[in-house]
Amino acid sequence: METRGADDVWLIKFYAPWCTFCKQLDPVWHQIGSELRSLGSLINVGKSDTTKSTGLAKDFRVMNYPAILMLKKDVKYNYPGPRTKEGIMDFANRVAGPLVRSLSSVQLFQHAMQRHNVMIVYVGATSPLKGNFSSVANELIVHTFFFSASRDVLPKTVSLPSLPAVVVFKDGTYFTFNEELDGDLKSWINRERFPNYFKIDSYTLYSMGESGKLVLVVLVEEKGQCEESLRFKGLVEKVAADYREIYSRHFHFGFMEGSDYINGYVMGQVTLPFIIALNLSNDGYFLPLGAMETERHLLDFLNGILDGTIQGQGGNCAYQRMSRLIYDIRVTLTLVFIQAPLLGCLLVSIPLTMVAMFCYLCCKHRPTQSDDDDSVAMFAPSLPRRKQTNKKSD
């Protein structure tokens, strides 16, 4: 940090020696460093032990492990995606390059369209809108690419009401930003930077919470998807495409393979295939009231959520947070007991032993009745003894 150049770009992994996930990332991290060096990239790749370099970890605000950050011109970018070689390489090349990439020819535009499922493009000359676009790119470059182009580079089928304009290309079509209808540019890009229907993982789901939309998810098997799972996926994909103008302002659509993440979200076991709508802003969710057999059933489910006839469940109140903590502990201990019974017994016995010792010490030092009597006798004032009289005389 003291000797680096002003234009140096660093990709850094922050780890702890005891972190299992950090150790699993080590081979991937070495592959990334080797590949970037072989490609002649200007990105420097390094790693930092947070138990030794505590000051550096504090400067980068490292909160979990392994943390992956990029330092570029004193700006720190936190990688929010899956810990895979492809995802990290894409993040590194995206952030290390220009914030807004220029598409100066039809060939470059077509090439970019083939590579990216979603393209966010500024069209026109220099303007206040372009300055705003660049500011948003500086914040959201960790998630997606940003481009600029002139009008004659775009396909002839693209019709823009006026210039300058911001256009999102995805799902075989395009959408133009309208400040009166769409509000803030950053919020609009946050909502539109996802495909209309796509495969979702836990990292993507977390970042979708920033869009302010609900997420309708189909949960299917990771391998060997059954006929019912394929039918559910096709049903949701069709509704997402056919009714985009109605529901796109309120919902994202997609599917997830496996149910582990959602099991923790609803604090229970779900049966695949399964349809659920998530409210990521407050950890809430909505469940269908009946069977999901037809398109009409799915539309009624979506409409019921929007008009309030289907009540949300879950949430992030104190009771729900405590319930989720207890559920997570129970699930973790169950897995430990299955995989390592002796370790599980040890983990359970330690807190139980501490509680038993505490109770024993409390009972041992509790004053007894004789102690109380002695104390009273010690501190009570001495009273004059009553003179004894003869009962007969009385």
Side-chain angles (χ1 to χ4, degrees):
M1 291 297 293
E2 295 175 355
T3 60
R4 69 182 183 89
D7 295 327
D8 286 355
V9 179
W10 277 91
L11 181 66
I12 309 171
K13 179 188 78 170
F14 291 88
Y15 70 97
W18 46 261
C19 172
T20 303
F21 297 107
C22 300
K23 296 176 182 177
Q24 294 174 353
L25 185 61
D26 275 341
V28 175
W29 199 250
H30 285 293
Q31 292 176 18
I32 291 171
S34 299
E35 186 164 333
L36 288 174
R37 177 172 293 183
S38 64
L39 293 173
S41 173
L42 298 178
I43 301 173
N44 301 286
V45 180
K47 61 181 181 179
S48 175
D49 183 350
T50 56
T51 61
K52 296 180 179 179
S53 303
T54 55
L56 187 62
K58 184 177 181 180
D59 291 341
F60 278 79
R61 299 181 180 179
V62 175
M63 303 297 293
N64 49 26
Y65 304 106
I68 299 173
L69 295 100
M70 176 166 279
L71 179 64
K72 175 185 174 184
K73 294 183 179 179
D74 294 327
V75 180
K76 304 174 181 69
Y77 299 91
N78 188 11
Y79 173 60
R83 271 50 177 170
T84 61
K85 176 186 172 183
E86 293 75 17
I88 298 172
M89 288 283 290
D90 185 64
F91 164 80
N93 291 321
R94 181 171 64 248
V95 176
L99 287 177
V100 180
R101 287 167 163 79
S102 176
L103 303 175
S104 55
S105 66
V106 175
Q107 291 77 15
L108 284 175
F109 185 89
Q110 293 176 347
H111 178 70
M113 287 282 288
Q114 293 172 359
R115 287 192 57 195
H116 304 283
N117 294 327
V118 178
M119 283 182 57
I120 305 170
V121 185
Y122 173 84
V123 184
T126 303
S127 68
L129 179 61
K130 187 173 184 179
N132 191 12
F133 184 78
S134 299
S135 299
V136 174
N138 188 47
E139 295 184 51
L140 300 183
I141 192 66
V142 296
H143 298 296
T144 188
F145 285 91
F146 288 81
F147 301 93
S148 66
S150 59
R151 178 63 186 87
D152 55 353
V153 168
L154 273 58
K156 302 299 182 183
T157 55
V158 175
S159 175
L160 300 179
S162 63
L163 293 179
V166 177
V167 188
V168 170
F169 294 86
K170 64 177 182 178
D171 304 316
T173 184
Y174 65 95
F175 308 94
T176 306
F177 170 68
N178 185 320
E179 187 173 4
E180 294 182 0
L181 298 177
D182 301 316
D184 178 59
L185 178 62
K186 179 184 175 181
S187 300
W188 181 75
I189 291 177
N190 244 336
R191 294 194 301 268
E192 297 296 337
R193 63 185 178 86
F194 300 99
N196 197 37
Y197 175 86
F198 66 113
K199 180 180 177 180
I200 301 172
D201 56 33
S202 57
Y203 293 99
T204 307
L205 194 62
Y206 180 80
S207 64
M208 293 171 84
E210 301 176 2
S211 68
K213 292 185 183 181
L214 303 176
V215 183
L216 186 77
V217 183
V218 183
L219 303 178
V220 297
E221 301 85 354
E222 293 184 22
K223 295 181 180 179
Q225 296 174 11
C226 65
E227 183 178 346
E228 187 73 356
S229 295
L230 297 175
R231 186 180 70 82
F232 272 32
K233 287 171 64 177
L235 177 63
V236 173
E237 184 175 11
K238 184 176 186 303
V239 168
D242 294 348
Y243 297 89
R244 188 193 185 285
E245 295 299 325
I246 300 175
Y247 298 114
S248 63
R249 287 183 176 273
H250 307 285
F251 291 95
H252 291 298
F253 297 88
F255 69 94
M256 292 185 73
E257 294 179 349
S259 60
D260 291 343
Y261 185 89
I262 300 301
N263 287 341
Y265 198 94
V266 302
M267 293 179 285
Q269 297 290 325
V270 301
T271 303
L272 303 181
F274 191 77
I275 291 181
I276 184 173
L278 306 175
N279 185 350
L280 300 168
S281 63
N282 65 358
D283 295 330
Y285 59 92
F286 301 86
L287 298 178
L289 300 179
M292 198 68 63
E293 299 292 339
T294 64
E295 181 180 303
R296 184 71 260 165
H297 291 154
L298 181 55
L299 294 176
D300 289 341
F301 178 46
L302 296 175
N303 293 330
I305 294 172
L306 295 179
D307 62 26
T309 56
I310 296 180
Q311 297 297 316
Q313 303 180 46
N316 56 6
C317 64
Y319 172 77
Q320 290 293 336
R321 288 198 296 268
M322 181 60 66
S323 300
R324 188 166 284 110
L325 176 62
I326 296 173
Y327 175 83
D328 291 339
I329 293 174
R330 180 165 60 86
V331 170
T332 302
L333 289 177
T334 301
L335 291 175
V336 171
F337 271 105
I338 293 174
Q339 298 175 1
L342 293 178
L343 178 61
C345 293
L346 180 63
L347 291 175
V348 173
S349 63
I350 290 175
L352 290 179
T353 303
M354 294 177 65
V355 172
M357 289 293 295
F358 178 77
C359 294
Y360 170 74
L361 294 174
C362 289
C363 293
K364 184 178 179 181
H365 290 83
R366 183 180 178 182
T368 61
Q369 184 65 33
S370 60
D371 294 336
D372 292 341
D373 294 342
D374 293 342
S375 299
V376 172
M378 181 181 297
F379 293 102
S382 58
L383 299 176
R385 302 189 70 177
R386 182 181 177 183
K387 184 177 181 181
Q388 295 183 358
T389 58
N390 193 331
K391 286 185 177 181
K392 289 184 179 181
S393 63
D394 291 342

